Amino acid sequence: MNEWLKKLVSSVKELWAKWTIVQKVILFAIVIVAIIALVFLLRFSSKPTAVPLFNVAITDTTVLDNIMFRLATENVDANVNSAGIITVPDASTARRMRALLVREDLVPSDVDPWALFDTERWTTTDFERNVNLQRSITQMVTQHIEALDDVDKANVVLTIPERATFASEQNPTTASVVIYSKPGSDITTNKKKIQGIQKLLLRAVEGLTEENITIADSSGNIINDFEGMEASERVDIIAKEQKLIRQLEMEYRVAILRSLQTTFTSDRVRDLNIKIDMDMSKAQVSGTRYSPIVVKEDNPNTPYDDSEYRDYLPISSETVTRIWTGTGYNPEGPAGVEGQNPPVYSDMSNLYGTSEETGVKQNNVINTEDYQEERSPSIDRVTVSVNIDGEWKLKKDENGNPILNPDGTLQRDYIPVDPVALADATSLVEAAIGYNRNRGDIVTVRNIRYDRSAEHAEEDAKYIREKNQRITILISIACVAAVLLAFMIFRFISREVERRRRLRQEELLRQAQLERERTIMEAEQAGMDVTMSVEERHRAELQENAIMMAKEHPEDVAMLIRTWLMEE
């Protein structure tokens, strides 16, 4: 292998040495052109290529705006060139968006969404060409159906018969589709989505009609049998209508209760029943209305209606007067022919008379209006019933204390609602529901007494309990006051006894001290040698010290004595 390479290199060198400068320049030019071409090819092939959504331009600006808005809703980066061609990033997005636009009827009638797939193939026979065409259409339809968000897989079988010479002998084109929906999808029960798939098939296959399309789910149930779904759809529509009526009744009920409870309190207004009968049918009504002619408009500055109307207005009139004098009118036949006059004319022959005829012809005009309107669901009748309770007031005596019954309960008086207030409440309810007597509306506002036995029993028990609590508190306060008074008396007596005992002891001590001093004095006068005990000597020293302290510091001694007295 190495020897072969060496020979190849040597031969190339020999050949290069033999070439002239022109040949070498031509070789270099060819290599450079090839490199440049390769670079351009790689550069342009690396760019993302946009795929046209339709192969024809859309010139209608309204349709174009609707399509672009729908694509923007799906977050698809779509562009429109100056010619009106819509482009999307890739082929899968184009298939998915075409299916979506076909389902929502946003594709113009003159645009064929499948024209991009009409590819020409070289075939040998017409049979192979037809087979390939049918397979191509089937594959494209399958891809478009599977591009839907709700479809996991789809099996499509198209039967396109050969074109017959006579229309009576032509077999119909049929389509059978089995859809496998994704988990959580409602495509098998959503009529709009099923109709979208059906429209997609009608656009995709030439000669296909709705009655020749069969769409089934994975269980084999036919889901495009819309006639069989009418009963279930009718049930759903009735349920939605009833939900709408209940919602409207709830709105009326909340509005009326809020206004009444604000006036009469929520405890007195509890019961409010409202029933709305609605006509959910749609009908177109046309006719002619005749109205009088307005001669003078109403002046809004006056408190009364001063307008003037007329049933009709004369446009022109003609008065005709005919006076005739002469013989009776006797028509005859042609000359020479016997007349065949009726007896009444024969009797009037050769008579002379006078006849006068007067008539007035007048042309009048009235207001005529031709109308045509479509009646949407409307309210047939509204019935409202409200119960407002009166007021309960406690009976009180002259001092403002509640009056009790013999059994200990509170006496109460029931005050019914004033009829004027009931009439005002009725007017308020009528205004809230848009009362219309002509359609049979009924508004009933009554004053029916609520059963408040449990509430009154609770109030009586609370009153009795509070009364007993007050009595208990008063007795407790009295007992505490008595105990405090007794303690104060005992304290006063005990202090008085203690004071008297102390005074008695002090008196005894004072007398003993006087007796001792007198004895000592008598002994000293008698010349006797008196000796004092240690205690007496200590007491004498203390007494002398106290006397000296009192003489030197009288204020401090007075404060000390005052403190002793306060403590005692």
Side-chain angles (χ1 to χ4, degrees):
M1 185 66 180
N2 293 331
E3 295 179 357
W4 181 80
L5 288 176
K6 291 179 179 180
K7 290 180 180 181
L8 181 61
V9 171
S10 61
S11 60
V12 170
K13 289 181 178 180
E14 293 177 358
L15 183 61
W16 179 261
K18 294 179 182 180
W19 279 6
T20 62
I21 297 176
V22 177
Q23 291 176 337
K24 292 179 180 180
V25 171
I26 293 173
L27 178 61
F28 278 115
I30 293 173
V31 172
I32 292 173
V33 170
I35 292 173
I36 293 173
L38 182 61
V39 171
F40 273 98
L41 180 62
L42 294 176
R43 183 175 180 181
F44 284 105
S45 62
S46 61
K47 290 185 177 179
T49 57
V51 178
L53 186 63
F54 303 112
N55 65 332
V56 296
I58 300 177
T59 57
D60 191 349
T61 57
T62 303
V63 176
L64 182 61
D65 292 340
N66 293 334
I67 293 175
M68 294 300 295
F69 177 77
R70 191 65 181 90
L71 295 178
T73 306
E74 297 293 329
N75 295 326
V76 176
D77 186 12
N79 297 314
V80 182
N81 58 15
S82 59
I85 299 294
I86 302 175
T87 57
V88 293
D90 49 30
S92 61
T93 304
R95 287 195 299 269
R96 185 167 61 88
M97 290 298 103
R98 276 194 293 269
L100 179 65
L101 296 176
V102 169
R103 185 179 69 187
E104 297 185 2
D105 288 334
L106 294 177
V107 179
S109 58
D110 56 344
V111 174
D112 184 7
W114 315 106
L116 290 173
F117 303 104
D118 294 337
T119 56
E120 292 292 337
R121 299 178 183 272
W122 295 97
T123 56
T124 55
T125 62
D126 292 340
F127 176 76
E128 291 179 353
R129 184 181 295 109
N130 294 333
V131 170
N132 291 335
L133 176 61
Q134 183 173 349
R135 291 177 60 186
S136 177
I137 295 175
T138 303
Q139 184 179 1
M140 291 300 104
V141 171
T142 304
Q143 291 179 0
H144 276 70
I145 295 177
E146 291 179 350
L148 299 176
D149 295 335
D150 297 322
V151 179
D152 186 21
K153 182 181 178 182
N155 292 331
V156 181
V157 177
L158 298 178
T159 302
I160 303 177
E162 297 181 357
R163 188 177 298 277
T165 305
F166 300 100
S168 60
E169 299 177 357
Q170 179 67 43
N171 294 325
T173 303
T174 59
S176 176
V177 181
V178 178
I179 295 176
Y180 298 88
S181 60
K182 291 182 180 180
S185 174
D186 62 341
I187 191 171
T188 57
T189 57
N190 194 322
K191 182 178 178 181
K192 184 177 181 181
K193 294 181 179 179
I194 298 172
Q195 287 179 341
I197 297 176
Q198 196 164 313
K199 291 179 182 179
L200 187 146
L201 292 170
L202 292 174
R203 288 291 187 91
V205 183
E206 181 183 1
L208 187 62
T209 57
E210 293 184 0
E211 58 270 13
N212 293 326
I213 298 176
T214 302
I215 303 175
D217 58 6
S218 58
S219 301
N221 300 319
I222 305 300
I223 60 177
N224 67 330
D225 185 11
F226 301 123
E227 295 181 357
M229 297 172 63
E230 291 181 355
S232 60
E233 290 178 355
R234 178 59 180 166
V235 173
D236 295 339
I237 292 173
I238 293 175
K240 292 180 181 178
E241 292 175 353
Q242 294 298 324
K243 182 179 179 181
L244 177 62
I245 293 174
R246 288 194 299 270
Q247 182 179 359
L248 187 60
E249 291 176 349
M250 183 59 65
E251 292 177 358
Y252 277 136
R253 187 175 187 275
V254 171
I256 296 172
L257 272 180
R258 184 182 295 113
S259 60
L260 291 178
Q261 289 178 353
T262 304
T263 305
F264 298 98
T265 71
S266 59
D267 184 59
R268 294 175 58 191
V269 183
R270 307 177 189 173
D271 302 333
L272 191 148
N273 300 317
I274 184 168
K275 181 69 173 66
I276 298 178
D277 297 331
M278 295 189 67
D279 183 10
M280 293 295 180
S281 61
K282 292 184 178 180
Q284 290 185 351
V285 181
S286 60
T288 302
R289 294 190 182 96
Y290 298 97
S291 58
I293 297 174
V294 180
V295 179
K296 179 182 178 183
E297 296 288 347
D298 181 25
N299 186 3
N301 297 324
T302 58
Y304 53 88
D305 185 5
D306 59 349
S307 59
E308 183 179 351
Y309 297 92
R310 291 186 183 179
D311 295 338
Y312 59 88
L313 184 65
I315 294 180
S316 62
S317 62
E318 179 183 359
T319 303
V320 180
T321 302
R322 294 187 180 91
I323 300 175
W324 173 82
T325 303
T327 60
Y329 180 73
N330 188 10
E332 296 287 347
V337 179
E338 184 179 357
Q340 298 179 354
N341 298 328
V344 65
Y345 289 128
S346 300
D347 294 340
M348 293 176 59
S349 60
N350 300 324
L351 292 178
Y352 181 84
T354 301
S355 175
E356 182 176 355
E357 179 182 356
T358 303
V360 178
K361 182 179 181 182
Q362 181 173 328
N363 296 323
N364 299 325
V365 66
I366 60 174
N367 285 337
T368 304
E369 179 185 1
D370 294 331
Y371 66 92
Q372 185 175 359
E373 61 183 10
E374 181 177 352
R375 292 183 179 176
S376 299
S378 58
I379 297 177
D380 285 345
R381 188 178 66 169
V382 180
T383 57
V384 182
S385 62
V386 184
N387 181 29
I388 302 176
D389 190 16
E391 295 180 337
W392 289 91
K393 288 191 176 181
L394 296 176
K395 288 185 177 181
K396 296 184 179 181
D397 54 13
E398 297 177 354
N399 298 326
N401 298 321
I403 301 175
L404 302 179
N405 293 318
D407 57 354
T409 59
L410 299 171
Q411 290 187 9
R412 299 176 178 85
D413 287 335
Y414 180 76
I415 302 175
V417 183
D418 188 11
V420 177
L422 287 178
D424 295 339
T426 304
S427 301
L428 187 144
V429 175
E430 291 177 352
I433 65 172
Y435 178 78
N436 188 354
R437 182 188 296 271
N438 295 329
R439 70 184 181 188
D441 292 351
I442 299 176
V443 176
T444 303
V445 180
R446 293 289 184 268
N447 173 211
I448 302 176
R449 183 184 305 180
Y450 288 152
D451 183 10
R452 299 181 182 268
S453 301
E455 182 179 350
H456 291 170
E458 184 178 356
E459 291 179 357
D460 294 341
K462 182 179 179 181
Y463 175 78
I464 295 173
R465 184 167 58 253
E466 291 178 352
K467 183 178 180 181
N468 294 333
Q469 289 178 355
R470 288 195 298 270
I471 294 174
T472 303
I473 292 173
L474 291 176
I475 294 174
S476 301
I477 292 174
C479 292
V480 171
V483 171
L484 292 175
L485 181 62
F487 177 77
M488 292 173 64
I489 294 173
F490 174 78
R491 181 69 175 173
F492 178 76
I493 293 173
S494 62
R495 285 185 177 183
E496 185 67 20
V497 172
E498 183 66 21
R499 188 180 65 82
R500 290 182 180 183
R501 184 182 63 79
R502 187 172 61 253
L503 291 175
R504 187 170 56 254
Q505 289 179 355
E506 290 177 355
E507 181 67 20
L508 292 175
L509 290 174
R510 188 178 62 81
Q511 292 178 3
Q513 181 66 22
L514 292 175
E515 185 68 25
R516 189 181 299 109
E517 291 178 354
R518 188 172 55 253
T519 303
I520 293 173
M521 187 178 296
E522 290 177 354
E524 288 179 353
Q525 291 177 359
M528 297 177 64
D529 188 10
V530 180
T531 59
M532 299 177 64
S533 63
V534 178
E535 294 180 356
E536 291 178 352
R537 188 179 294 110
H538 182 67
R539 185 180 299 107
E541 291 178 357
L542 291 176
Q543 185 174 2
E544 291 178 359
N545 291 331
I547 293 172
M548 292 178 62
M549 182 66 68
K551 291 180 179 180
E552 294 177 357
H553 303 282
E555 295 179 357
D556 295 339
V557 173
M559 186 177 295
L560 179 61
I561 295 171
R562 191 182 299 111
T563 303
W564 286 347
L565 293 176
M566 289 179 64
E567 290 180 356
E568 294 296 331

